[in-house]
C-alpha cells in the first residue's frame, strides 16, 4: 500500500467507450478510429516503450488493445494466463493473430 501511495501522483485514468454510437474495445481508440484516448500520448511522453496486456475479453478488448499498442509502436507482451475469450473456441486463433501483429505471448510468471 505504501508503494502505491508514493506513486499515486503518477496515476492517469483513461476513459473509453463514451460514445454510444461507436464501440471502443481498445484502450487506445474507438473501433472506427474517430476518437483516441490520451493513452499513447501519455505513454510516449513518459518514455514507455513496452506494454503488458491482460484482461477480458481476448476476442474483443484485449485483442484491440494489443493490436493498437503495436500500431503505436510499443513492444507488446500479452499474458496468456491472464486473459479469457468470450468465445473460448476463438482464443487460439486470436492469440495466433496477435503473434502475427508482433505481440509476444508470455505467462504472467515471466514478467518481473
Amino acid at each position: 500500500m505504501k508503494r502505491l501511495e508514493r506513486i499515486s501522483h503518477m496515476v492517469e485514468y483513461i476513459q473509453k467507450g463514451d460514445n454510444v454510437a461507436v464501440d471502443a474495445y481498445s484502450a487506445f481508440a474507438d473501433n472506427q478510429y474517430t476518437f483516441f484516448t490520451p493513452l499513447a500520448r501519455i505513454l510516449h511522453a513518459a518514455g514507455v516503450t513496452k506494454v503488458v496486456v491482460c484482461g477480458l475479453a481476448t476476442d474483443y478488448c484485449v485483442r484491440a488493445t494489443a493490436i493498437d499498442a503495436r500500431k503505436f509502436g510499443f513492444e507488446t507482451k500479452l499474458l496468456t494466463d491472464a486473459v479469457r475469450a468470450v468465445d473460448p473456441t476463438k482464443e487460439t486463433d486470436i492469440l495466433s493473430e496477435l503473434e502475427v501483429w508482433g505481440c509476444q505471448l508470455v505467462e504472467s510468471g515471466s514478467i518481473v
Side-chain angles (χ1 to χ4, degrees):
M1 190 63 155
K2 289 186 183 263
R3 182 172 181 247
L4 290 176
E5 290 171 1
R6 285 195 314 264
I7 64 168
S8 66
H9 67 283
M10 298 171 22
V11 174
E12 293 279 351
Y13 293 94
I14 305 299
Q15 294 186 17
K16 68 180 192 82
D18 293 338
N19 184 344
V20 296
V22 180
D23 284 329
Y25 297 140
S26 172
F28 292 93
D30 68 31
N31 292 6
Q32 302 298 318
Y33 294 102
T34 56
F35 171 78
F36 294 86
T37 72
L39 183 56
R41 178 183 49 78
I42 290 167
L43 295 175
H44 282 300
V48 173
T49 59
K50 302 174 185 177
V51 297
V52 178
V53 179
C54 62
L56 299 172
T58 310
D59 39 355
Y60 293 96
C61 299
V62 170
R63 176 186 173 274
T65 297
I67 289 171
D68 281 351
R70 294 295 299 138
K71 287 180 181 180
F72 280 105
F74 296 103
E75 179 183 322
T76 305
K77 293 185 179 186
L78 184 124
L79 304 182
T80 56
D81 58 336
V83 296
R84 288 293 176 265
V86 171
D87 182 351
T89 65
K90 295 182 179 180
E91 184 108 12
T92 301
D93 289 341
I94 298 295
L95 295 177
S96 295
E97 177 190 13
L98 294 175
E99 282 186 304
V100 170
W101 276 98
C103 297
Q104 299 172 32
L105 305 183
V106 299
E107 291 191 0
S108 57
S110 71
I111 301 297
V112 178

